[in-house]
Amino acid sequence: MGYPDRPGWLRYIQRTPYSDGVLYGSPTIENVGKPTIIEITAYNRRTFETARHNLIINIMSAEDFPLPYQAEFFIKNMNVEEMLASEVLGDFLGAVKNVWQPERLNAINITSALDRGGRVPLPINDMKEGVYVMVGADVPFSSCLREVENPQNQLRCSQEMEPVITCDKKFRTQFHIDWCKISLVDNTKQVSTYQEVIRGEGILPDGGEYKPPSDTLKSRDYYSDFLITLAVPSAIALVLFLILAYIMCCRREGVEKRNMQTPDLQLVHHSAIQKSTKELRDMSKNREIAWPLSTLPVFHPVTGTCHIRLRFHSSRLQVNGIPEERKLTEAMNL
């Protein structure tokens, strides 16, 4: 009442809209002596009739009934709402009492496996999510519960095998307990966790009272920062640019100096090659492009006479001792 949600220690679960809702949880020592009022509002979905009820929870201290020996069991075949039923919880406490033989035995905490990081089970074979039940007693743990701490059972648990527990048959008829997840806590052997802080490496010395800076800050001159960050790199870049420009422009040999250092015979040869290359380029631009012979008709379309065109260039060379002009004449006679 007066808050938008339930207290942090109180949980609510309702599987389906037509099943019973269950409030459960374990308050802490900070909640002792503070009455908790739960305001319950319900309405009828058909008639929209509304009802309101206040549930008052009084939390009392358990220091008058100390239970220093606590054991937490994980039951695989139960859901939390099933375990909260009075008859089921009574059967489980009765089985634990037969194994433990304490004078007083109470359930301290009941938690769903989903609240402890468990996964939602598959909806096959009526699988359950599991529930953790912590019970407390006033006598030390029995030898049956201590069997979980044996090296053989610890080895079997590490290999994902069922440990050998003599008293498991007393639970097996109704409760399937995962003995590898049982937790035994002995609060009579509490070890003080307080440790004196020894100053050494990693711990700063006491610097006294903190003194924040004043509200009136002095103006800062950024001229020197400007010179360091912009002017100096710009000046260095300019000097490097001038050096590179001098090397590229002022240190060139030139054509005249190159010709003076080159022999005359090599220059004449180079000039002759340039002139020949220029003449060949000019001739290639002005030459007549002849039609390919494959595009000309071999026979006249009307008279049927054969036309053969020979294109040759006069030459005064001799091939195998016979003048080229004579060879061409013989070809024409054929």
Side-chain angles (χ1 to χ4, degrees):
M1 178 178 291
Y3 294 92
D5 200 357
R6 302 181 306 274
W9 57 269
L10 190 61
R11 294 183 176 90
Y12 175 77
I13 186 171
Q14 186 178 12
R15 293 291 176 178
T16 63
Y18 301 98
S19 61
D20 295 338
V22 180
L23 282 170
Y24 69 101
S26 299
T28 58
I29 192 64
E30 291 81 6
N31 306 114
V32 174
K34 300 178 181 178
T36 302
I37 303 176
I38 305 299
E39 187 178 18
I40 303 173
T41 303
Y43 69 94
N44 192 327
R45 293 187 176 183
R46 296 180 178 178
T47 63
F48 296 98
E49 182 182 358
T50 305
R52 180 170 296 177
H53 176 72
N54 292 336
L55 176 64
I56 302 176
I57 302 176
N58 294 317
I59 303 172
M60 297 178 295
S61 176
E63 295 180 356
D64 299 336
F65 307 98
L67 300 173
Y69 301 96
Q70 300 175 2
E72 186 178 54
F73 299 86
F74 177 64
I75 306 173
K76 297 185 291 184
N77 63 330
M78 288 285 177
N79 289 335
V80 62
E81 69 274 10
E82 298 173 350
M83 195 67 198
L84 288 171
S86 58
E87 60 276 7
V88 178
L89 182 59
D91 295 341
F92 178 74
L93 293 179
V96 175
K97 193 171 184 179
N98 292 334
V99 173
W100 202 338
Q101 297 296 329
E103 296 182 2
R104 287 191 303 106
L105 182 70
N106 291 330
I108 298 177
N109 189 11
I110 299 176
T111 308
S112 172
L114 300 181
D115 297 333
R116 301 281 291 270
R119 288 187 172 185
V120 178
L122 296 175
I124 56 177
N125 299 330
D126 196 21
M127 296 182 65
K128 306 294 183 179
E129 63 190 27
V131 59
Y132 288 90
V133 180
M134 178 177 287
V135 297
D138 54 351
V139 297
F141 303 108
S142 62
S143 58
C144 174
L145 299 178
R146 291 288 186 182
E147 291 178 0
V148 184
E149 301 176 351
N150 293 339
Q152 295 82 3
N153 289 330
Q154 292 294 325
L155 179 61
R156 294 178 66 88
C157 288
S158 63
Q159 297 176 353
E160 297 184 357
M161 299 174 60
E162 288 288 339
V164 179
I165 306 297
T166 57
C167 58
D168 180 54
K169 59 183 179 180
K170 297 183 179 181
F171 296 90
R172 183 65 62 175
T173 56
Q174 187 176 0
F175 307 99
H176 295 173
I177 298 177
D178 189 350
W179 292 99
C180 291
K181 293 184 179 181
I182 189 173
S183 175
L184 304 178
V185 180
D186 187 358
N187 292 327
T188 60
K189 299 179 181 180
Q190 293 182 354
V191 180
S192 177
T193 59
Y194 173 77
Q195 297 180 357
E196 184 181 359
V197 178
I198 301 175
R199 296 189 180 276
E201 186 178 359
I203 300 179
L204 299 177
D206 188 8
E209 185 179 359
Y210 172 71
K211 296 180 180 180
S214 60
D215 298 337
T216 58
L217 299 177
K218 297 181 180 179
S219 60
R220 182 178 177 182
D221 186 11
Y222 293 96
Y223 182 72
S224 59
D225 297 339
F226 169 76
L227 294 178
I228 294 174
T229 56
L230 295 179
V232 174
S234 301
I236 295 175
L238 180 61
V239 171
L240 294 177
F241 175 77
L242 294 177
I243 294 174
L244 182 62
Y246 172 74
I247 294 174
M248 297 296 294
C249 299
C250 301
R251 298 291 296 175
R252 297 184 63 182
E253 295 180 353
V255 177
E256 296 180 358
K257 187 176 181 179
R258 183 196 64 188
N259 294 339
M260 291 176 62
Q261 296 178 355
T262 306
D264 294 339
L265 182 60
Q266 186 175 354
L267 290 176
V268 172
H269 291 172
H270 180 68
S271 178
I273 292 173
Q274 283 186 339
K275 290 180 180 180
S276 301
T277 304
K278 185 177 179 182
E279 290 179 0
L280 291 175
R281 290 178 178 176
D282 294 340
M283 292 175 62
S284 64
K285 294 179 181 179
N286 299 328
R287 66 183 177 180
E288 180 183 0
I289 302 176
W291 290 94
L293 296 178
S294 60
T295 60
L296 298 177
V298 178
F299 296 95
H300 195 275
V302 179
T303 62
T305 58
C306 178
H307 297 273
I308 299 177
R309 294 185 180 184
L310 298 177
R311 181 181 295 274
F312 62 91
H313 297 278
S314 62
S315 176
R316 296 184 180 278
L317 299 177
Q318 292 184 0
V319 181
N320 297 327
I322 302 175
E324 184 69 21
E325 295 177 354
R326 180 181 174 184
K327 294 184 66 177
L328 295 175
T329 304
E330 295 177 355
M332 293 175 64
N333 292 334
L334 293 176

